[in-house]
Each structure stands twice: as C-alpha cells, then as structure tokens.
Amino acid sequence: MKTLDFADLLGVLRGATADRPVLVVTHERPDGDAIGSSTAMTALLKENGIPAVLYLPGDIPDCYTTFVPADRRSSFSAAEINASFSCVMNVDASTVKRLGLGGADFSCLTIPVLTLDHHPDDEHFGQWSYVDPGASSSAEIVFRFARAAGWTISPDSATKLLLGITTDTGCFRFSNTSPAAHRAAAELIEQGADNARIIDRAYLSKPFNMAMFEAELFRTSLRTAREGAIAWFFLSPDLLRKYSVNLRNTEQLIEVLRGIEGVRVAALLKPTSSPGIFKLSLRSRDPRISVGRVARRLNGGGHEMAAGGTIFAATAEEAEAILLKHVEQEFQNEKQSG
Ligand code: 5GP
Ligand code: MN
C-alpha cells in the first residue's frame, strides 16, 4: 500500500482506454454517500475524457434510484475484471469484506486497486489509498480530487456529489458537518447541483407504507434500557412483510430513534437472508460513548458516532441481549473513565 497523492491517482486513471476503462466500485448495501460518490466518480471520469464503468451492488434504496444511471454493471468474475479494466477505483468501501465487486474475489485481482475513503477503520487494502477521516463523506473527497485535477464538474455530477455530502451529514446535522462540507456544498450548488431534488427524494418523500410501518414499529417494538438512554428496534420479518417494507429502505429509521430526547445510543437490529445472522446499525449522540468501539467488538466498524456490525445468534432475542451487553459495557467504561 502506498499513500496516495492526487497527482499519482490521476496518472493511474489516465492509463484507461476505451478497451480497458476504469471500473468504479463502492461498498455493499450502498448508502447515499456510496451511491453519490461512485456515480459522481464515474460521471466525472467520463466528462473529463477517461473511459469508466460503474459497478453498483443491486440493493439500491428506492429514494436514490433516480440518481443511478441505467448502464451500471451488476455482476463480474475476477478474471473478467482483470481482462477488461485498467484499474479498480474504489470509493467509500473501507474493508475488503465490505467491498462490492459483483461476486468477484478481491484476492484474485491483478490490476491496481485504488481507494478514496473517509472511514477511520479503512484497511488500506489495494495498491494506493487516500483516506481522510476528517472529511464529511467520500463525496467530499471526490470533489476535492476533481478540483485538484482541474476537472470540469457538470450539474449532474455536482448533484451526485451533493447527494453524498448531504446524506452522510444527515442533511448537515451530524458532527461531521464541517465548514469544508458546507463550502463544498455551496460550490456544488453554484455548479448547478439540484439541491431541491436531493432534499425531495431523500427527506420529503416517505412512502405511505413506510410511515405506517414506522408508526407500528414505535408503538409495538421500541425497546429501551437505562431509562431511555439506550433505545433499539428489531425489525421483525413479520412486520416488514405486513407493510411490504424492504430492508434496503430502512436506512433512515435509526435517525428517528436517535432523535428522541434522552437517547444517547440508538441501535437497529435487522434480520438477514441467513438464519442466525443479524445486521446491526449503531448511532451515538454523545461523543463520550463510542459506538465505533461497540461495532468493532461486534464484527464490524465505522465512525465513533455511526457504526455497524454483525451479530451471530440463534434468535433475535439472543441477538438483542448480545447487543445490550456490549452497549452496556461502553456505558460502564464511560463511568470508570469519567
Ligand atoms: P449503517 O448503520 O448506515 O449501515 O452504517 C454506518 C457506518 O458504519 C458506515 O458508514 C460504516 O462506516 C460502518 N459500518 C456499517 N456496517 C459495517 C460493517 O459491517 N463493517 C464495518 N467495518 N463498518 C461498518
Ligand atoms: Mn460515507
């Protein structure tokens, strides 16, 4: 691994040809930043004369599909990647495990893998990586890179970049909302980014079935501990089915939970297609409580205030008990150190 210099990155990307374009990838279960930064990177490369192809894992949240071009790829083998592309440009995937490669095995890749990322737990896999945990989002880093490269930024690419910055900062509310994030957003709007469309799709268009699902979830499934300082949900398959809610569209639920007065740690436990495996999302509202640390103990990682992991347990109740034990431990640590 070599720490990336933007000039080096540009040099490698410029090695692409029509026969061997750049393959742009991101992490599985892509969120707004993964989608914004990867679609923007692909569009920016093409707008600036570098052939590129986008791979995006299939499960795109419905509110973001309008920002995703139709010509994305959806499956690959490593042999096909090696034979067809000049390099792999990863944005926003911090670990090999999270990297979405359309089924291809990372260890079989022979072409360079380059990374732009903002996750503190980035593994620096691949040949080059540039990781800035101080950046609000990977989209902010792609924007910085595009500026350094002297690239033109079309209104469409500006919209995609703004989508990443807006969603990863929770619409400029979370602690990663820096002056740099605001400045980047302002410049992108000057470039023609469609801010109104982003806000409409991501924040003002909750489908009716989701609103009803949320109402029943809060009424019947909200669990708390420490007098409401810890709050969590298990998204039961029965309730999801009752309201025809797809798990890929539940990304923002945890913010509703974190927004309740008195909640210091919010958690969302989701079933997966494999029995015994539960996916976990964690948010903290208190810088003294690191959910990043909890997630690292639970087969995952992320930022200190927003993290995720995986729990292996026979039942949802058992998974909830494991979750609570680890979050409790974090509160105990706070008491000892504070
Ligand atoms: P979310 O709760 O939105 O799925 O994830 C929040 C953050 O936690 C992500 O930005 C990512 O940094 C991190 N994260 C979520 N799941 C995992 C995981 O399985 N492994 C790692 N390393 N990080 C995760
Ligand atoms: Mn991100």
Side-chain angles (χ1 to χ4, degrees):
M1 194 280 301
K2 179 168 168 251
T3 298
L4 186 73
D5 173 294
F6 282 163
D8 292 342
L9 172 60
L10 189 58
V12 179
L13 294 172
R14 280 198 179 130
T17 61
D19 289 343
R20 289 180 82 92
V22 175
L23 176 63
V24 179
V25 302
T26 184
H27 60 79
E28 336 165 287
R29 284 188 289 270
D31 57 8
D33 187 32
I35 291 164
S37 58
S38 64
T39 57
M41 185 52 133
T42 311
L44 285 164
L45 285 163
K46 290 191 198 169
E47 283 162 20
N48 291 279
I50 301 177
V53 169
L54 172 67
Y55 165 75
L56 254 184
D59 256 0
I60 309 283
D62 294 350
C63 60
Y64 301 135
T65 50
T66 167
F67 302 100
V68 176
D71 61 353
R72 69 187 161 113
R73 289 287 307 263
S74 55
S75 71
F76 283 116
S77 69
E80 196 184 348
I81 294 177
N82 291 332
S84 317
F85 297 98
S86 57
C87 64
V88 174
M89 177 73 246
N90 161 44
V91 286
D92 205 43
S94 55
T95 68
V96 171
K97 224 171 87 190
R98 293 200 86 208
L99 185 65
L101 281 177
D105 182 350
F106 172 79
S107 65
C108 298
L109 294 183
T110 53
I111 58 172
V113 177
L114 316 154
T115 291
L116 292 178
D117 186 24
H118 74 128
H119 290 100
D121 63 343
D122 189 281
E123 283 176 347
H124 294 270
F125 57 88
Q127 276 65 39
W128 282 281
S129 52
Y130 173 96
V131 179
D132 178 6
S136 64
S137 51
S138 291
E140 185 185 323
I141 298 178
V142 173
F143 174 64
R144 219 185 271 168
F145 171 63
R147 276 269 182 272
W151 284 354
T152 55
I153 300 176
S154 70
D156 178 56
S157 295
T159 301
K160 291 172 158 71
L161 289 172
L162 185 60
L163 173 71
I165 297 172
T166 302
T167 55
D168 246 27
T169 57
C171 212
F172 304 93
R173 287 177 303 154
F174 302 160
S175 58
N176 59 347
T177 307
S178 60
H182 277 295
R183 277 192 200 101
E187 281 188 46
L188 290 165
I189 293 170
E190 280 168 355
Q191 295 292 323
D194 192 344
N195 186 47
R197 183 165 148 239
I198 293 169
I199 299 298
D200 180 70
R201 291 312 307 148
Y203 301 103
L204 300 175
S205 302
K206 185 178 291 180
F208 188 76
N209 66 320
M210 181 60 87
M212 293 300 109
F213 170 76
E214 255 182 61
E216 183 161 343
L217 187 69
F218 270 89
R219 217 164 30 75
T220 63
S221 311
L222 180 61
R223 301 278 176 270
T224 62
R226 286 191 176 251
E227 291 162 351
I230 307 172
W232 74 95
F233 288 132
F234 170 62
L235 302 185
S236 84
D238 287 348
L239 199 59
L240 289 161
R241 217 174 296 119
K242 181 172 172 187
Y243 291 97
S244 305
V245 168
N246 190 301
L247 272 177
R248 69 169 181 270
N249 295 320
T250 59
E251 187 192 326
Q252 288 188 20
L253 266 181
I254 193 160
E255 301 305 340
V256 186
L257 206 49
R258 171 158 65 172
I260 296 173
E261 189 174 19
V263 171
R264 293 167 73 199
V265 168
L268 206 65
L269 202 58
K270 305 174 209 178
T272 66
S273 49
S274 317
I277 303 182
F278 298 87
K279 185 77 190 115
L280 173 69
S281 282
L282 286 161
R283 298 290 183 275
S284 168
R285 208 173 59 205
D286 182 343
R288 289 167 300 178
I289 305 280
S290 163
V291 291
R293 210 162 23 224
V294 176
R296 285 189 285 279
R297 289 198 300 263
L298 289 170
N299 315 296
H303 313 275
E304 298 316 308
M305 309 288 281
T310 304
I311 295 182
F312 302 93
T315 62
E317 290 72 30
E318 206 179 291
E320 287 183 63
I322 293 171
L323 162 67
L324 189 58
K325 187 181 91 186
H326 283 84
V327 176
E328 275 288 352
Q329 200 174 328
E330 198 51 37
F331 275 80
Q332 295 290 344
N333 290 346
E334 184 216 3
K335 214 161 127 200
Q336 276 154 23
S337 59

Tab-separated table of all heavy atoms in Angstrom, residues 27 31 33-34 92 117-119 136-138 168 303, ligand 2:
chain	number	residue	atom	x	y	z
A	27	HIS	N	-19.115	0.195	-1.572
A	27	HIS	CA	-19.406	-0.896	-0.630
A	27	HIS	C	-20.784	-1.518	-0.842
A	27	HIS	O	-21.659	-0.932	-1.473
A	27	HIS	CB	-19.225	-0.453	0.827
A	27	HIS	CG	-20.085	0.692	1.278
A	27	HIS	ND1	-21.410	0.549	1.626
A	27	HIS	CD2	-19.788	2.001	1.461
A	27	HIS	CE1	-21.889	1.720	2.007
A	27	HIS	NE2	-20.934	2.623	1.912
A	31	ASP	N	-25.162	3.185	0.652
A	31	ASP	CA	-25.977	4.264	1.204
A	31	ASP	C	-25.843	5.496	0.296
A	31	ASP	O	-25.251	5.417	-0.792
A	31	ASP	CB	-25.548	4.560	2.649
A	31	ASP	CG	-24.068	4.911	2.743
A	31	ASP	OD1	-23.415	5.082	1.686
A	31	ASP	OD2	-23.555	5.034	3.867
A	33	ASP	N	-23.983	8.139	0.399
A	33	ASP	CA	-22.618	8.559	0.065
A	33	ASP	C	-21.961	7.565	-0.899
A	33	ASP	O	-21.266	7.957	-1.836
A	33	ASP	CB	-21.782	8.693	1.346
A	33	ASP	CG	-20.405	9.277	1.080
A	33	ASP	OD1	-20.266	10.102	0.146
A	33	ASP	OD2	-19.464	8.927	1.817
A	34	ALA	N	-22.173	6.269	-0.667
A	34	ALA	CA	-21.606	5.260	-1.575
A	34	ALA	C	-22.160	5.473	-2.986
A	34	ALA	O	-21.418	5.449	-3.982
A	34	ALA	CB	-21.932	3.852	-1.076
A	92	ASP	N	-15.344	4.861	-0.898
A	92	ASP	CA	-16.200	4.692	0.286
A	92	ASP	C	-16.225	3.282	0.897
A	92	ASP	O	-16.857	3.091	1.932
A	92	ASP	CB	-17.639	5.167	-0.008
A	92	ASP	CG	-18.389	5.599	1.252
A	92	ASP	OD1	-17.783	6.293	2.089
A	92	ASP	OD2	-19.569	5.235	1.407
A	117	ASP	N	-11.417	7.352	0.479
A	117	ASP	CA	-12.343	6.977	1.556
A	117	ASP	C	-12.220	7.936	2.731
A	117	ASP	O	-11.208	8.636	2.872
A	117	ASP	CB	-12.049	5.533	1.997
A	117	ASP	CG	-13.059	5.008	3.000
A	117	ASP	OD1	-14.204	5.510	3.036
A	117	ASP	OD2	-12.708	4.088	3.773
A	118	HIS	N	-13.248	7.919	3.591
A	118	HIS	CA	-13.215	8.775	4.785
A	118	HIS	C	-13.458	7.986	6.069
A	118	HIS	O	-13.681	8.586	7.120
A	118	HIS	CB	-14.238	9.919	4.652
A	118	HIS	CG	-15.656	9.489	4.826
A	118	HIS	ND1	-16.520	10.098	5.697
A	118	HIS	CD2	-16.364	8.485	4.237
A	118	HIS	CE1	-17.709	9.503	5.640
A	118	HIS	NE2	-17.637	8.531	4.756
A	119	HIS	N	-13.429	6.653	5.996
A	119	HIS	CA	-13.685	5.860	7.201
A	119	HIS	C	-12.402	5.687	8.031
A	119	HIS	O	-11.381	5.279	7.483
A	119	HIS	CB	-14.228	4.477	6.823
A	119	HIS	CG	-15.606	4.533	6.263
A	119	HIS	ND1	-15.865	4.477	4.916
A	119	HIS	CD2	-16.802	4.689	6.885
A	119	HIS	CE1	-17.174	4.568	4.726
A	119	HIS	NE2	-17.757	4.703	5.900
A	136	SER	N	-16.224	14.858	5.595
A	136	SER	CA	-17.605	14.517	5.966
A	136	SER	C	-18.075	13.246	5.282
A	136	SER	O	-18.898	12.510	5.809
A	136	SER	CB	-18.540	15.652	5.543
A	136	SER	OG	-18.533	15.777	4.116
A	137	SER	N	-17.536	13.017	4.088
A	137	SER	CA	-18.081	11.971	3.223
A	137	SER	C	-17.037	11.635	2.160
A	137	SER	O	-16.110	12.426	1.925
A	137	SER	CB	-19.331	12.506	2.515
A	137	SER	OG	-19.019	13.756	1.901
A	138	SER	N	-17.214	10.499	1.529
A	138	SER	CA	-16.321	10.188	0.406
A	138	SER	C	-16.604	11.133	-0.753
A	138	SER	O	-15.704	11.478	-1.523
A	138	SER	CB	-16.488	8.725	-0.018
A	138	SER	OG	-15.978	7.905	1.008
A	168	ASP	N	-24.554	11.811	4.034
A	168	ASP	CA	-23.621	11.350	5.068
A	168	ASP	C	-23.544	12.315	6.254
A	168	ASP	O	-23.120	11.926	7.340
A	168	ASP	CB	-22.215	11.103	4.498
A	168	ASP	CG	-21.853	9.619	4.568
A	168	ASP	OD1	-22.772	8.787	4.555
A	168	ASP	OD2	-20.645	9.291	4.652
A	303	HIS	N	-17.461	4.789	12.120
A	303	HIS	CA	-17.055	6.027	12.789
A	303	HIS	C	-17.405	5.922	14.280
A	303	HIS	O	-18.132	5.028	14.678
A	303	HIS	CB	-17.794	7.207	12.172
A	303	HIS	CG	-17.792	7.219	10.670
A	303	HIS	ND1	-16.758	7.748	9.922
A	303	HIS	CD2	-18.674	6.733	9.778
A	303	HIS	CE1	-17.034	7.610	8.643
A	303	HIS	NE2	-18.191	6.988	8.517
B	2	MN	MN	-19.522	7.535	3.556
